[in-house]
Amino acid sequence: MWKLAGALLAGASMALAGCTATGAVAGGVAGHELTHGSTAGTIGGAVVGGVVGHELGK
């Protein structure tokens, strides 16, 4: 799980900024945990978290 969180953080920090990146990482980790490691759950969580982070950062 921590390797996944690190990879998401590295990717998000390069491609996104601020609250969006934080939301994407948090959502990806949450999605990964809630779906027991499902790739679709991880990606879906990252997308939803990124959108929420972006909206909260406005």
Side-chain angles (χ1 to χ4, degrees):
M1 179 188 78
W2 293 112
K3 289 182 183 179
L4 173 66
L8 284 172
L9 180 59
S13 66
M14 291 189 310
L16 304 169
C19 295
T20 305
T22 303
V25 170
V29 171
H32 178 77
E33 289 299 314
L34 291 172
T35 61
H36 305 289
S38 164
T39 302
T42 303
I43 293 170
V47 169
V48 170
V51 170
V52 170
H54 177 74
E55 291 301 315
L56 290 175
K58 283 185 173 181

